[in-house]
Amino acid sequence: EVQLVESGGGLVQPGGSLRLSCAASEFSFSNYWMSWVRQAPGKGLEWVANIKQDGSEKYYVDSVKGRFTISRDNAKNSLYLQMNSLRAEDTAVYYCASIDYGDYKEFDYWGQGTLVTVSS
Amino acid sequence: DIQMTQSPSSLSASVGDRVTITCRASQSISRYLNWYQQKPGKGPKLLIYAASRLQSGVPSRFSGSGSGTDFTLTISSLQLEDFATYYCQQSYSTPPWTFGQGTKVEIK
């Protein structure tokens, strides 16, 4: 069974940094585009970033460009999100998700999420 | 950016009811439309992709239709385990990819 397990969330002050990790198991991680999606408390889902299998292409939502960096280590079956200059509006549960990048692109597997709280 | 608008934002229904949720895109997205189910405290689950294709393992009471700008998710006979929040999401062209605001299905 495919497993995506996020970690690294916590409480951080505005302007601070945090690095999220997502450990993948039971699927061919290196063959998949991967993504981060977030959900503010009581709100809907917001796509954050995508990364290609070899890391050569990355996309970000405008609100995090220049502050967040998505990366991956295929040898460790791991996905990362480096978050800098954090703001209160970045408070959310962050999910990692795999993308089936066939003719139609969909998030086919999701983790359980890790909570990031930005507050003084 | 492409905006996705779902309706209704919430609905109350009984077990056995037929439920329909609609999703409208701000521009044509062909069939690049996916539907997810989310239960409290859990990550979303893919139900339908490419507007109408049922994800493996998803019960056949779930179906999707539409193309262009207007899409529908239908649950033919609502079961207890279907009470959840449902999101549409477009994956047309390069990101940003956007979600609808969600539809919460509650027990009447």
Side-chain angles (χ1 to χ4, degrees):
Chain A
E1 180 184 348
V2 172
Q3 278 206 325
L4 298 172
V5 180
E6 302 92 339
S7 60
L11 176 63
V12 61
Q13 292 189 340
S17 297
L18 213 54
R19 188 196 196 207
L20 305 184
S21 300
C22 172
S25 58
E26 304 303 326
F27 86 122
S28 300
F29 178 79
S30 61
N31 291 336
Y32 277 78
W33 280 75
M34 295 294 295
S35 183
W36 288 99
V37 176
R38 67 184 177 183
Q39 186 170 36
K43 302 297 184 182
L45 300 167
E46 180 184 35
W47 168 79
V48 173
N50 285 357
I51 185 169
K52 194 176 180 179
Q53 292 94 327
D54 62 0
S56 61
E57 289 184 46
K58 303 177 184 181
Y59 299 93
Y60 299 92
V61 68
D62 283 349
S63 60
V64 309
K65 283 180 183 175
R67 301 188 300 122
F68 289 11
T69 301
I70 189 171
S71 63
R72 64 192 296 161
D73 185 335
N74 288 338
K76 294 183 178 180
N77 286 345
S78 292
L79 176 72
Y80 306 103
L81 186 67
Q82 177 66 44
M83 304 186 295
N84 298 331
S85 303
L86 282 161
R87 306 166 180 168
E89 53 265 36
D90 296 318
T91 294
V93 174
Y94 285 73
Y95 297 99
C96 72
S98 59
I99 305 171
D100 186 334
Y101 223 86
D103 291 339
Y104 295 89
K105 307 163 190 66
E106 61 273 1
F107 301 113
D108 54 354
Y109 296 105
W110 296 70
Q112 85 291 345
T114 187
L115 176 62
V116 172
T117 303
V118 184
S119 174
S120 55
Chain B
D1 296 356
I2 299 173
Q3 307 304 316
M4 306 301 294
T5 304
Q6 275 182 247
S7 61
S9 55
S10 65
L11 64 91
S12 295
S14 301
V15 172
D17 283 354
R18 181 181 182 88
V19 168
T20 298
I21 299 168
T22 63
C23 181
R24 175 165 289 177
S26 60
Q27 67 181 71
S28 177
I29 57 171
S30 183
R31 297 179 63 82
Y32 290 87
L33 190 284
N34 308 310
W35 290 98
Y36 303 88
Q37 177 194 67
Q38 186 180 32
K39 296 183 178 180
K42 302 290 187 182
K45 173 187 174 183
L46 177 65
L47 299 176
I48 301 284
Y49 65 99
S52 62
R53 300 181 187 178
L54 195 67
Q55 174 70 348
S56 176
V58 174
S60 59
R61 62 181 179 273
F62 291 94
S63 64
S65 64
S67 66
T69 60
D70 294 312
F71 302 88
T72 299
L73 173 70
T74 300
I75 310 172
S76 60
S77 178
L78 197 66
Q79 301 300 301
L80 264 179
E81 60 267 30
D82 301 336
F83 291 96
T85 301
Y86 294 84
Y87 293 92
C88 63
Q89 175 252 329
Q90 64 83 16
S91 55
Y92 183 74
S93 189
T94 54
W97 293 344
T98 45
F99 291 85
Q101 78 277 19
T103 296
K104 186 173 185 179
V105 177
E106 299 175 301
I107 301 173
K108 183 182 285 185

